[in-house]
Amino acid sequence: MGAPTFARKLGRPKPRDVIAGLVTGLFSIPEGMAYASIGGFNPVTGIYAGIMPGIIGSLFARTVLMVTTLTSAIALTSRSVLKEAGLDPQDPANVAALALVVGAVMLLFGLLRFGSIMNFVSNAVMTGFSTGIALQIVAGVLGDATGYKPQSGNTIGKFIDSLAHIGLWHPAAVAVALGTVAVWAVFHFIKPLESFATLLALVVVTAVVAVAHIDVETVGDIASIANALPPVTVPNFAAMPELIVGGVAVALVALAQAAGISAAVPNPDGSRTNMNGDFLAQGAANVAGGLFGALPAGGSLSRTGVATSAGAQTRWAGIFAGLWLALLVLVAGSAAEIIPMPVIGGLILVIGAELIVGRLPDIKLVLRVAPLSAVAMLVTFAATTQLPLHTAIVIGVITSLVLYCAKVAETAQLVALTPAPDGGWQQAPVPERCASNDVTVLHYAGVGLFAEVARIDETWPRADGTTNAVVVLSLRALPDVPSSVTIKALRRWAGQLTANNGRLIISGVNPGTAEVLRRGGLDDLLGDDGVVPASDRIFGALDVAVERGRAWVAAQTGKPGDSPQRDSN
């Protein structure tokens, strides 16, 4: 892409983009630190995830208002991946290695145009996953909000452990956390201040704690924040092979969240979003961010929502958010060290509760209208709360694929077609046996998956005891190339007819399917005229196939056959 073309794509910033960027950059300080903290990382890496990744992501994203930065799901999944690999999440080299692997996976997905893979992650699975993530978020800050660190490594176990040791909660920490929630609620219900509620709660409660000298843990007790831009970080290259599988899981989590943003936030200029372009943008953002101390990043719905509610009009809002955040860190980064951890815990409790409440309509909808999908949702939710997150997302993707295949297999059907009184064809039940000295017309609607063959086999008409029976099988609606199992089934059905002096004619196939049928050896059984290619006319190929079948029967019996006249329009 040349410089003039890129400049046109970038466009000119609007005044409201500057303001939206400032609001988003300010919001990124508490939220970035909070998300990094619940993942067990140095809180400052959460801030850094909004600088370089935010700028690069907004420069190249095809969803122009999407803000690329750290999310709670990415933080928790990243922690699981590093923990499984036996790597210290506090070591910047390990964080950089994971970010680079995640970025490389995203770039590869974008180059291979794998954007459609997100279509296989069902809404039910994403509902279960995001609800489980929200519960993990709340469980992850119980220690900050209560002063008692649950010892259980299990999400549900943390709640049980925390409640069982309520006597060990620190009153000051609990008071500060509850005060944070209360202050947030006050500002949240004041409409002009709603977008700033999290930031205002952070500032107000931090000031009260500092002035009142309340003894609680602060960010400075965990990590120091220098008044400096993100440092150049050398990744732990030796650890990268161990992080590949986990990196794919983190990338899937991030890309799935970004896909939701792409659908929910249309481009203001009317241009089309492109998921593969967003994959590439997030990949570049992670590669750049990994070299500058940032945790893995992806499209953030909360940060994008802040930007749009603050008036973002172009991709410059996200670029300014990263630039403003860099300036704030450079000028006053060390001031963030006085932020009390119970304040961050209180804010995360709010964020987690909002996420859970926000998913309730989807949960109710899935439970009410889709029993099979409800099972997938519950399986994913259980996996998310009981297993490492990168394992849970893989289970979720597999569950989605299995669910998709099951639904496709259910909808696949074999029907008979008979002449309609007014011309054309009408559906009828499949006969139990092929008609001797006649043409039986069947239509198959499916996608060629092997799971469908058994069901079709049950309804395929029997050929034994017949003679000179022709079956015309219409495959016009078949959207993809048949599987090898389907080819074997077609060979078996054709063989049964041939053994009883009958034949099978296949009609309406596309060139790809025709080539697979030929390579599968079906032309030996069907004959040179046994496959009729699809035509532009609806059921035009079927009419040709039926005419061939009737002519073949006539040649076998010595009686002239009637060629059907069908209205093909």
Side-chain angles (χ1 to χ4, degrees):
M1 180 184 296
T5 304
F6 180 74
R8 284 195 298 272
K9 176 185 174 183
L10 192 59
R12 293 183 178 181
K14 310 290 185 182
R16 294 185 67 179
D17 290 329
V18 180
I19 302 300
L22 175 60
V23 173
T24 307
L26 287 169
F27 186 85
S28 293
I29 295 176
E31 191 170 80
M33 292 175 64
Y35 287 157
S37 178
I38 65 171
F41 298 99
N42 185 332
V44 75
T45 58
I47 300 177
Y48 291 162
I51 299 178
M52 188 62 72
I55 295 171
I56 299 298
S58 291
L59 273 173
F60 298 106
R62 295 291 295 273
T63 302
V64 299
L65 297 185
M66 182 173 69
V67 177
T68 302
T69 186
L70 179 67
T71 70
S72 59
I74 295 174
L76 289 168
T77 310
S78 298
R79 179 189 64 181
S80 295
V81 170
L82 290 175
K83 183 178 179 181
E84 284 289 306
L87 299 172
D88 181 7
Q90 294 289 333
D91 187 339
N94 294 334
V95 173
L98 179 59
L100 259 65
V101 170
V102 171
V105 171
M106 290 177 167
L107 287 172
L108 182 62
F109 280 6
L111 291 172
L112 295 178
R113 308 188 67 80
F114 278 4
S116 59
I117 196 174
M118 291 297 107
N119 297 330
F120 289 98
V121 183
S122 69
N123 176 65
V125 166
M126 283 308 300
T127 299
F129 182 73
S130 57
T131 306
I133 285 288
L135 204 63
Q136 277 215 21
I137 289 173
V138 175
V141 295
L142 288 175
D144 293 327
T146 66
Y148 170 76
K149 305 289 184 183
Q151 301 304 306
S152 175
N154 179 281
T155 299
I156 304 300
K158 288 180 179 178
F159 285 100
I160 296 173
D161 186 19
S162 186
L163 290 173
H165 295 86
I166 194 170
L168 299 179
W169 290 10
H170 296 185
V174 173
V176 171
L178 292 178
T180 303
V181 174
V183 173
W184 173 88
V186 169
F187 288 119
H188 180 73
F189 290 107
I190 300 175
K191 199 63 178 177
L193 300 178
E194 182 180 0
S195 298
F196 304 92
T198 300
L199 181 65
L200 290 171
L202 172 77
V203 173
V204 170
V205 181
T206 297
V208 170
V209 170
V211 170
H213 300 290
I214 299 175
D215 185 21
V216 292
E217 187 179 39
T218 66
V219 169
D221 295 327
I222 299 174
S224 60
I225 304 175
N227 290 347
L229 295 175
V232 175
T233 306
V234 178
N236 181 0
F237 291 105
M240 287 186 177
E242 302 175 53
L243 296 174
I244 292 176
V245 174
V248 172
V250 176
L252 286 174
V253 170
L255 296 176
Q257 291 182 310
I261 297 171
S262 177
V265 185
N267 291 337
D269 60 0
S271 62
R272 297 180 62 181
T273 60
N274 182 288
M275 205 172 297
N276 293 311
D278 287 342
F279 281 16
L280 292 171
Q282 291 171 85
N286 275 289
V287 171
L291 298 175
F292 288 92
L295 278 163
S300 168
L301 184 58
S302 64
R303 229 69 62 89
T304 302
V306 169
T308 54
S309 65
Q313 294 180 307
T314 73
R315 67 177 67 249
W316 277 98
I319 297 171
F320 280 127
L323 294 174
W324 277 118
L325 184 56
L327 181 62
L328 289 168
V329 171
L330 184 62
V331 173
S334 59
E337 293 182 13
I338 68 170
I339 297 175
M341 291 305 296
V343 170
I344 293 178
L347 292 176
I348 289 299
L349 288 177
V350 169
I351 293 171
E354 283 188 315
L355 287 172
I356 294 173
V357 171
R359 302 310 295 182
L360 288 178
D362 283 338
I363 294 172
K364 292 177 181 179
L365 181 63
V366 172
L367 292 174
R368 187 167 59 247
V369 304
L372 190 59
S373 295
V375 173
M377 178 181 70
L378 294 174
V379 167
T380 308
F381 174 79
T384 304
T385 56
Q386 305 299 316
L387 301 173
L389 277 180
H390 65 282
T391 303
I393 190 61
V394 172
I395 290 175
V397 171
I398 293 173
T399 303
S400 290
L401 289 171
V402 171
L403 182 63
Y404 169 77
C405 293
K407 287 183 176 179
V408 166
E410 283 181 359
T411 58
Q413 59 177 333
L414 184 70
V415 298
L417 298 180
T418 60
D422 57 348
W425 300 94
Q426 62 184 10
Q427 290 189 14
V430 177
E432 185 176 331
R433 190 181 299 272
C434 303
S436 295
N437 303 316
D438 203 355
V439 178
T440 301
V441 182
L442 304 176
H443 177 70
Y444 170 65
V447 297
L449 293 175
F450 64 88
E452 303 168 35
V453 171
R455 295 182 66 245
I456 301 304
D457 217 10
E458 294 174 0
T459 56
W460 188 268
R462 294 168 55 190
D464 57 298
T466 66
T467 182
N468 301 325
V470 175
V471 173
V472 171
L473 176 62
S474 170
L475 297 180
R476 179 179 176 83
L478 190 70
D480 70 357
V481 175
S483 69
S484 59
V485 176
T486 309
I487 296 295
K488 290 174 65 176
L490 289 171
R491 288 179 60 85
R492 184 172 66 255
W493 298 328
Q496 292 169 357
L497 287 164
T498 302
N500 290 276
N501 197 37
R503 68 174 302 194
L504 174 67
I505 300 176
I506 299 176
S507 72
V509 301
N510 59 43
T513 299
E515 175 61 21
V516 172
L517 295 178
R518 185 193 65 78
R519 291 203 306 265
L522 275 166
D523 50 354
D524 296 336
L525 289 172
L526 303 182
D528 295 337
D529 62 346
V531 176
V532 182
S535 67
D536 293 335
R537 292 191 305 130
I538 301 299
F539 288 122
L542 178 60
D543 288 341
V544 172
V546 171
E547 290 174 0
R548 290 184 186 178
R550 290 183 179 273
W552 185 86
V553 170
Q556 298 299 308
T557 61
K559 298 178 181 180
D562 296 326
S563 297
Q565 299 297 320
R566 302 287 172 238
D567 178 8
S568 300
N569 296 319

